[in-house]
Structure formats: structure tokens, C-alpha cells
Amino acid sequence: KIVEYFPPNFLVTLSSSNSFSAHRREITLAEYISEQLAGPAETYPSKLSNETWYLFGETYSDDWKGLLSNFELPPCQTCTSDLSALAFGIGN
């Protein structure tokens, strides 16, 4: 489980799925994972975009850096740590 890699009250910033991610919401990672697992497996067209929350970007803390440091960059000419940025996201 991903929550085991983070402190129990680790806060994440969620973004709404509407244009320009206009709204933000702060919640613990454990709560967000629980919400995702309790909801439907996919987002239906009838769901309003301001009611759909995604975790992406804003992963700059030391805890995130520790998790993302395990990611192996693909073999390509520009895929070096000084020319690449890693991002992590969770959502359906």
C-alpha cells in the first residue's frame, strides 16, 4: 500500500477536474485513497467536474521525492534527471 510509505497524517493537495483545476482541497493521503476505493471504479459523464478530485502535481516534498526516487527513467536521449521532471497522480 502506498500509504505505508508516508506519515499517517500526510497531507496531499487535490485539484478539481474542471478547466484549469480551479479548486484545491487538502486531505490526508489515507483519506483520499479510502475515498477512491469506496467510490465507483470509473468517473461517469453525469459526474460534475467540480465534484471530481485528482491527486497530481504538487509532489515536491521530501516524502514525495523519496517515493519518486525509485522510479526508473526510460531510456531516451532527454530522459536524464537534470532534463526531466517526475510527476505522480492518483484518480479515476
Side-chain angles (χ1 to χ4, degrees):
K1 288 185 162 187
I2 190 170
V3 294
E4 295 172 2
Y5 290 94
F6 295 92
N9 293 320
F10 183 74
L11 292 174
V12 294
T13 302
L14 307 178
S15 300
S16 60
S17 66
N18 54 340
S19 297
F20 308 111
S21 299
H23 303 285
R24 300 272 193 267
R25 177 179 163 212
E26 207 169 68
I27 188 172
T28 67
L29 179 61
E31 289 173 307
Y32 180 63
I33 298 293
S34 292
E35 282 183 9
Q36 290 298 302
L37 293 175
E42 59 185 277
T43 302
Y44 297 103
S46 59
K47 178 95 174 190
L48 298 176
S49 62
N50 65 338
E51 296 174 352
T52 304
W53 297 94
Y54 294 98
L55 168 60
F56 64 92
E58 299 190 35
T59 54
Y60 311 114
S61 71
D62 288 338
D63 291 309
W64 281 115
K65 287 177 189 173
L67 177 70
L68 295 174
S69 70
N70 294 312
F71 182 79
E72 193 171 319
L73 291 170
C76 70
Q77 190 173 17
T78 59
C79 296
T80 61
S81 60
D82 58 329
L83 296 175
S84 301
L86 297 176
F88 180 83
I90 299 174
N92 62 357

